[in-house]
Amino acid sequence: MTEETNIPAETGAAAEGATRSGFVALIGATNAGKSTLVNRLVGAKVSIVSHKVQTTRAIVRGIAIHKNAQIVFMDTPGIFKPRRRLDRAMVTTAWGGAKDADFIMFLIDSERGLKGDAETILEGLKEVHQPKILVLNKVDRVKPEDLLKLTAAVNEVVKFERTFMISALNGSGCEDVMDYLAAALPEGPWYYPEDQISDLPMRQLAAEITREKLFLRLHQELPYSSHVETEKWEERKDGSVRIEQVIYVERDSQKKIALGKNGDAIKAISTASRKELSEILEQPVHLFLFVKVRENWGDDPARFREMGLDFPTS
């Protein structure tokens, strides 16, 4: 994993002949499986996954090389009916990502079909003019005849270039998606170095990893209003790294939940996060977590900037 860069690169396969590159925005309802699919297509973890809805808050770009194409997947926040300022920022970010992409990939949970937010998103896609492909996820759990009915119903509302039936969890059908995109993206140089898999700075990725472990451990007890920031990153002479992070919550009662009885929860979260970060960084990690109460952090512009979101003024 490397730090964010905007320097185009033409290395490896890119030097052998005509190359293709472009941005593909994944759009879908919350928990449709967008982050799982991005990680699958990139071949490495670049976006966090949890049981909690609206886990992805800002656009995460995962970079994949397939044949002679560099495909930059934009994992957008799930689109839903916003109720809070943070919700509005996330939904605005998701639609903005769609309009900036070369291709739109509309992901639907086949089990849920066009219920709720998925139907609203489909209507919104009428106003998006980029080429679009439809991806039905979790198809191994749905009867083939029901998948065909769903495909027909979706294409009656918006015309998609192609429809793919996949399982992001086991990878079924994903190679077909990659083959199609690699051939469909415009010719041009690659945007990122060949060995780069994300444009997310390491400090932010580390915070995201800890936030994932927080949600996985406490997704039933801890409300959605929690946030993690990496405050200190120190490379040490022995080859290890010392990382200090703060988990922000809005009330003292939430702080007690995050800490757990005798500190059990925070210890488990720290252990899980440290293990994964050590694997990603390929070096020993000393991780120190602190929990602080910051009332109404969801109305703080600085927190939105830290998450990579624009602060809604209304």
Side-chain angles (χ1 to χ4, degrees), residues 44-102:
K45 185 168 185 173
V46 295
S47 191
I48 70 172
V49 180
S50 85
H51 303 295
K52 209 171 186 68
V53 298
Q54 297 123 39
T55 300
T56 301
R57 288 176 173 170
I59 291 177
V60 177
R61 294 175 181 85
I63 305 160
I65 306 297
H66 190 72
K67 298 182 176 177
N68 225 36
Q70 185 177 75
I71 310 168
V72 185
F73 292 101
M74 303 164 66
D75 182 12
T76 63
I79 296 175
F80 56 102
K81 186 176 181 179
R83 294 186 295 273
R84 304 164 301 167
R85 192 188 297 270
L86 178 58
D87 296 344
R88 294 196 299 274
M90 289 164 56
V91 171
T92 299
T93 295
W95 281 118
K99 293 174 181 177
D100 289 340
D102 296 291

Side-chain angles (χ1 to χ4, degrees), residues 46-291:
V46 295
S47 191
I48 70 172
V49 180
S50 85
H51 303 295
K52 209 171 186 68
V53 298
Q54 297 123 39
T55 300
T56 301
R57 288 176 173 170
I59 291 177
V60 177
R61 294 175 181 85
I63 305 160
I65 306 297
H66 190 72
K67 298 182 176 177
N68 225 36
Q70 185 177 75
I71 310 168
V72 185
F73 292 101
M74 303 164 66
D75 182 12
T76 63
I79 296 175
F80 56 102
K81 186 176 181 179
R83 294 186 295 273
R84 304 164 301 167
R85 192 188 297 270
L86 178 58
D87 296 344
R88 294 196 299 274
M90 289 164 56
V91 171
T92 299
T93 295
W95 281 118
K99 293 174 181 177
D100 289 340
D102 296 291
F103 253 87
I104 308 297
M105 183 187 297
F106 180 35
L107 188 66
I108 294 181
D109 180 334
S110 297
E111 289 186 296
R112 295 206 304 258
L114 279 178
K115 297 176 181 177
D117 294 325
E119 185 174 16
T120 302
I121 297 167
L122 184 60
E123 288 294 326
L125 284 173
K126 291 179 179 179
E127 307 302 320
V128 179
H129 303 297
Q130 285 92 331
K132 295 172 277 288
I133 61 173
L134 172 64
V135 178
L136 303 183
N137 191 23
K138 307 178 186 178
V139 296
D140 50 324
R141 304 180 186 178
V142 181
K143 295 179 181 179
E145 55 267 29
D146 292 334
L147 292 172
L148 293 176
K149 290 178 183 177
L150 177 58
T151 299
V154 173
N155 277 275
E156 282 181 7
V157 181
V158 174
K159 181 61 178 176
F160 288 86
E161 304 287 331
R162 286 281 300 274
T163 297
F164 296 90
M165 300 184 183
I166 69 153
S167 168
L169 197 58
N170 65 32
S172 173
C174 290
E175 187 75 8
D176 293 336
V177 175
M178 295 294 283
D179 286 344
Y180 177 82
L181 291 172
L185 288 175
E187 289 189 6
W190 291 355
Y191 292 97
Y192 299 94
E194 188 173 2
D195 61 349
Q196 186 168 339
I197 61 173
S198 176
D199 69 347
L200 201 64
M202 281 308 308
R203 291 171 67 100
Q204 191 173 344
L205 175 62
E208 288 289 276
I209 294 296
T210 298
R211 186 163 68 91
E212 177 189 59
K213 306 312 177 191
L214 178 72
F215 283 172
L216 289 174
R217 171 83 184 191
L218 301 171
H219 72 276
Q220 292 181 332
E221 298 92 342
L222 192 66
Y224 180 67
S225 52
S226 57
H227 173 56
V228 180
E229 291 184 15
T230 301
E231 293 204 336
K232 186 175 181 181
W233 185 292
E234 179 187 355
E235 298 285 347
R236 305 178 69 175
K237 293 181 179 179
D238 62 2
S240 65
V241 58
R242 177 189 172 96
I243 303 172
E244 294 183 9
Q245 295 178 331
V246 176
I247 299 171
Y248 287 106
V249 295
E250 291 188 319
R251 294 187 294 276
D252 283 322
S253 60
Q254 296 171 3
K255 180 177 180 179
K256 293 177 181 178
I257 293 172
L259 291 172
K261 186 177 180 180
N262 299 320
D264 289 346
I266 198 71
K267 290 176 184 176
I269 293 165
S270 178
T271 298
S273 183
R274 182 172 62 250
K275 181 177 183 296
E276 183 158 335
L277 285 170
S278 295
E279 293 172 355
I280 292 173
L281 295 170
E282 298 181 342
Q283 65 185 124
V285 171
H286 307 283
L287 178 63
F288 299 86
L289 299 183
F290 306 91
V291 183

